[in-house]
Amino acid sequence: MTALNRVPSLMARAGTASALTLAAVGGTVVAPGFAPEAEAATPATKALQIAASKKGSPYKWGAVGPHRFDCSGLTLYSYKKAGKTLPRTAAQQYNKTRHISAKNRKAGDLVFFHSGSNVYHVGIYAGKGKIWHSPKSGDVVRLQKIWTRSVWYGRVK
């Protein structure tokens, strides 16, 4: 896939001459929110993109999409669309993932919030200390900075 195919609006934004110059010299276009081609093929990256596409969807306890979500409903839905199966609750999802350290986390990994041994919330790691999640009643799916150190990380198998 060429850089021009990855960012369809490039011609409109950069102008035909600039786009043709990029194509002629083999330049690469880096657009915010787009993963490199090799990374884009992974289920984790697909799940992350699907979760991000649900930005603004309302929280509803017990909802698994496609228009409303609770926290684990968003992760379940996103990974299902990416070809992976997860159980229903945050705690069950934690038990089903391969546990990894914070230093080994990657975009698309699951972030589990816990109190002691009780997992009470889950989101999808977006990089730079942020997650996509469906926070609580009255809120919507959004990107947010991780607000506590009481988190564990899991990679979907």
Side-chain angles (χ1 to χ4, degrees):
M1 179 181 285
T2 67
L4 293 176
N5 289 338
R6 263 199 305 238
V7 186
S9 63
L10 177 67
M11 298 280 267
R13 286 194 280 159
T16 305
S18 297
L20 292 175
T21 302
L22 270 174
V25 297
T28 301
V29 177
V30 178
F34 285 88
E37 289 177 40
E39 187 182 335
T42 69
T45 302
K46 287 179 187 175
L48 176 59
Q49 292 168 344
I50 291 161
S53 78
K54 295 302 177 178
K55 178 181 179 178
S57 296
Y59 177 95
K60 182 176 182 190
W61 187 85
V64 294
H67 304 293
R68 299 178 188 282
F69 302 90
D70 68 8
C71 68
S72 56
L74 178 65
T75 54
L76 181 147
Y77 177 88
S78 299
Y79 266 94
K80 183 177 181 181
K81 289 289 186 184
K84 294 288 186 174
T85 303
L86 285 175
R88 178 62 188 95
T89 69
Q92 290 168 336
Q93 290 177 8
Y94 177 73
N95 290 331
K96 177 87 172 172
T97 60
R98 183 166 54 92
H99 304 157
I100 55 173
S101 67
K103 74 175 189 173
N104 290 322
R105 68 190 179 184
K106 294 180 182 175
D109 286 336
L110 296 181
V111 181
F112 298 95
F113 294 75
H114 66 91
S115 176
S117 62
N118 179 41
V119 172
Y120 65 87
H121 187 63
V122 62
I124 300 180
Y125 189 65
K128 299 183 180 178
K130 295 182 179 182
I131 59 166
W132 280 102
H133 69 140
S134 187
K136 62 185 184 229
S137 240
D139 212 334
V140 296
V141 172
R142 62 189 169 105
L143 183 65
Q144 184 175 2
K145 184 177 182 199
I146 297 171
W147 59 90
T148 178
R149 290 181 187 221
S150 296
V151 294
W152 293 321
Y153 296 90
R155 187 157 295 150
V156 176
K157 302 172 192 176

